[in-house]
Amino acid sequence: MQEMTKMEKIVGLCKRRGFVYQGSEIYGGLAGTWDYGPLGVALKNNIKKLWWERFVLGREDVYGLDAAIIMNPAAWVASGHAQGFADPAVQCKKCGAYWRTDHVIASQLVEEGNYLCPLGSCRTALGTEEELNKQSKSFNMMFTTSVGAGEESAIKTYLRPETAGGIFVNYKNVLDSMHPKLPFGIAQIGKAFRNEIAPRDFLFRAREFEQMEIEYFINPKTWETTFEEWREEMHGWIKAIGLPVSMVHELEVPKEDLAHYSRRTIDFEFDYPFGRSELYGMAYRTDFDLASHAQASGVDLTYFDEATGERFLPHVIEPSLGVDRTALALLCASYTEDSMNEDSRVFLKLSPRLAPVTVAVFPLLRNKTELVARAREIYALLRQAQVGAVVFDDNGNVGKRYRRQDEIGTPWCVTVDFDTLGEKPEARDTVTLRDRDTGKQERVNINELTDILESKLV
Ligand code: GAP
């Protein structure tokens, strides 16, 4: 039997252990959509919480926002997305699949000068580079929808392709209600939708995904220094979530590949098992968006700087992070196989603040009522102490429970045994605290358990 690739193992673990399922699976799925199960939503919520704490609650100059996904279509005309948010696509005449032309060319699958259909079971010749570019059609990636009843009166609009749109149209609202001084940012976490031509690589390229974005408004004179500051912030974030620095690389996006709104973009790429690809992006959007919205809406979006007496349109630095790509990168970086006590095991080496379960509490044996009752008490104590997510587990033997918790990345397990109950008087009211990465167990006093866990969580 062929060995499974690392990616196949991760996708398998995600389904088996309740992280991520195929979207609409019982109906055969829907390409480019994924559903997060109980552990996946916990991981994603922990990512979002950490980001919000760091960049909104942790700063004086960033304001939160939660704008509607469905916006007046005029906003997407002004932003240039209705006309220009498109990728070039070619169709394979044999299997009917559509591919992004640039991806076909980058695939390097060439035979006798012809690029081949990337579908493994097809591999039909699609043509030379020149022929591909000639056949290629521009495909707008925004999902359309209609708002209102009645075919004639309904308005056709779009599901937002980036959360940024909602931020730009609320810039003046935030300015007028919160009176921030430049530089300041508006941050938003939310869904974005793109009708990707070829969704691929699990969560990497989906049609529905989440973004965490900040539009940081500045005086244009400072754009270079602010760009550097946010570049450092991006690296700080990457370190804080525990992604190995050696797996993240900056890519200066060439001028010809810049998005229509950007004067400079750096991509932060990650070494996924399927290759190096974009994790996050950071762009200098100039005043492209505010200028376009001011012109299209007729609303004055200038800023008056009281200190200098200047009036101008702020420029924007935009750090843009995908939640799903963060989850994927974390799963890929933390997936570890090793052996412990002569047994092979799989574990997720997730940072304790991101792991879906922080502590699992076990009674050594499930059929001893005193052990179960004491373990339940400790479980209640830890839940009350708010040391992250706590679960109670009495299924199977302790060895199996450790393996199960390792596989979902639980950093600590607490076991209540007969010594806890006083079989060894000197060990009464102590439990074992096991570390996921080393498998080492220490005996700790129940009174000190929450303090110990809190200190490890910092
Ligand atoms: N507002 C700027 C913007 O949207 P982008 O590079 O198109 O820029 C930003 O997207 C981030 O959103 C990406 O770096 C990635 O993390 C995430 N992202 C974009 N398209 C995605 C997709 N189809 N599936 C999953 N995540 C995606």
Side-chain angles (χ1 to χ4, degrees):
M1 207 175 79
Q2 225 185 355
E3 228 197 293
M4 282 168 87
T5 63
K6 182 171 176 188
M7 213 47 224
E8 285 167 343
K9 290 177 184 174
I10 291 169
V11 175
L13 186 154
C14 282
K15 177 166 161 67
R16 193 173 64 252
R17 303 310 315 276
F19 279 88
V20 183
Y21 316 119
Q22 191 184 5
S24 317
E25 190 178 337
I26 62 167
Y27 290 102
L30 180 68
T33 65
W34 298 97
D35 296 342
Y36 286 79
L39 300 190
V41 69
L43 173 64
K44 225 160 59 135
N45 283 343
N46 289 344
I47 294 168
K48 292 189 276 185
K49 182 166 176 273
L50 214 59
W51 187 86
W52 197 260
E53 280 171 0
R54 190 178 181 93
F55 293 114
V56 184
L57 304 180
R59 296 179 62 119
E60 282 183 46
D61 58 348
V62 178
Y63 298 80
L65 181 78
D66 185 11
I69 288 175
I70 300 173
M71 295 169 59
N72 188 314
W76 297 115
V77 175
S79 71
H81 286 81
Q83 314 82 296
F85 194 61
D87 274 338
V90 282
Q91 189 183 19
C92 171
K93 297 210 167 59
K94 175 115 182 278
C95 72
Y98 281 91
W99 303 101
R100 257 177 69 171
T101 315
D102 52 334
H103 287 176
V104 173
I105 293 167
S107 74
Q108 306 276 354
L109 287 168
V110 193
E111 224 172 69
E112 294 170 8
N114 286 313
Y115 285 91
L116 305 181
C117 173
L119 188 71
S121 56
C122 182
R123 294 285 196 257
T124 301
L126 300 176
T128 61
E129 185 165 344
E130 199 187 336
E131 285 165 342
L132 281 186
N133 285 328
K134 230 188 244 164
Q135 287 168 38
S136 186
K137 290 210 173 74
S138 178
F139 176 77
N140 191 303
M141 290 194 293
M142 284 205 293
F143 281 101
T144 52
T145 187
S146 55
V147 177
E151 280 194 9
E152 272 142 48
S153 57
I155 312 170
K156 178 193 143 196
T157 185
Y158 309 94
L159 300 185
R160 68 182 177 204
E162 56 169 4
T163 58
I167 298 181
F168 289 118
V169 302
N170 280 289
Y171 151 83
K172 188 169 158 44
N173 280 333
V174 174
L175 200 62
D176 292 347
S177 55
M178 309 304 290
H179 313 291
K181 301 265 175 291
L182 278 192
F184 72 92
I186 304 180
Q188 175 165 230
I189 299 178
K191 290 270 187 176
F193 303 83
R194 296 182 190 177
N195 198 359
E196 296 282 357
I197 294 162
R200 65 171 174 96
D201 293 318
F202 194 32
L203 307 171
F204 178 79
R205 193 178 301 289
R207 287 182 167 136
E208 176 177 338
F209 55 96
E210 265 183 294
Q211 291 184 316
M212 307 182 283
E213 296 200 298
I214 298 171
E215 304 307 319
Y216 197 74
F217 298 94
I218 55 167
N219 184 318
K221 289 178 197 151
T222 68
W223 85 264
E224 274 147 321
T225 43
T226 314
F227 196 88
E228 287 310 312
E229 282 161 23
W230 277 102
R231 186 187 208 162
E232 287 310 310
E233 289 290 341
M234 294 290 274
H235 286 294
W237 162 259
I238 287 164
K239 217 167 137 207
I241 59 173
L243 285 179
V245 173
S246 60
M247 296 178 86
V248 180
H249 314 270
E250 284 189 11
L251 172 83
E252 183 76 42
V253 176
K255 291 263 173 299
E256 61 276 18
D257 293 341
L258 290 174
H260 63 278
Y261 50 71
S262 174
R263 189 176 296 168
R264 182 178 179 197
T265 296
I266 289 179
D267 280 351
F268 294 79
E269 297 193 314
F270 178 77
D271 293 323
Y272 300 95
F274 46 83
R276 188 174 291 181
S277 251
E278 181 183 338
L279 170 64
Y280 303 139
M282 198 181 94
Y284 170 38
R285 289 179 81 130
T286 67
D287 60 354
F288 174 86
D289 300 271
L290 288 188
S292 307
H293 288 302
Q295 196 187 19
S297 65
V299 176
D300 179 7
L301 298 178
T302 54
Y303 173 86
F304 180 67
D305 188 332
E306 283 167 10
T308 62
E310 285 177 286
R311 181 171 282 284
F312 55 89
L313 270 178
H315 282 216
V316 165
I317 304 293
E318 178 197 62
S320 178
L321 293 81
V323 179
D324 312 75
R325 279 194 199 171
T326 308
L328 178 61
L330 286 169
L331 288 166
C332 295
S334 67
Y335 181 92
T336 316
E337 292 175 358
D338 71 356
S339 61
M340 186 170 276
N341 309 330
E342 290 166 28
D343 239 358
S344 61
R345 71 160 181 162
V346 167
F347 73 107
L348 296 183
K349 209 171 176 170
L350 288 170
S351 142
R353 292 190 66 195
L354 293 172
V357 175
T358 322
V359 199
V361 181
F362 313 149
L364 181 67
L365 300 172
R366 68 185 301 188
N367 55 1
K368 293 281 174 222
T369 39
E370 307 94 303
L371 286 178
V372 174
R374 194 75 177 106
R376 282 254 168 225
E377 273 172 29
I378 293 166
Y379 167 64
L381 177 97
L382 292 178
R383 280 174 73 113
Q384 219 176 13
Q386 298 189 344
V387 285
V390 189
V391 300
F392 181 87
D393 188 357
D394 62 357
N395 269 322
N397 64 41
V398 170
K400 285 210 176 106
R401 292 179 213 155
Y402 285 150
R403 293 291 172 275
R404 255 202 318 272
Q405 295 299 332
D406 286 347
E407 212 187 6
I408 63 169
T410 306
W412 301 293
C413 295
V414 167
T415 303
V416 172
D417 57 18
F418 292 107
D419 290 348
T420 317
L421 303 180
E423 196 167 281
K424 267 196 210 135
E426 69 278 15
R428 176 182 284 281
D429 292 331
T430 63
V431 287
T432 63
L433 179 62
R434 176 191 180 266
D435 178 90
R436 172 197 66 200
D437 299 350
T438 60
K440 289 217 173 87
Q441 298 180 25
E442 53 177 324
R443 200 111 210 141
V444 304
N445 206 298
I446 294 166
N447 288 337
E448 292 166 14
L449 193 54
T450 53
D451 284 349
I452 293 173
L453 289 171
E454 270 164 15
S455 69
K456 285 178 189 282
L457 265 172
V458 174

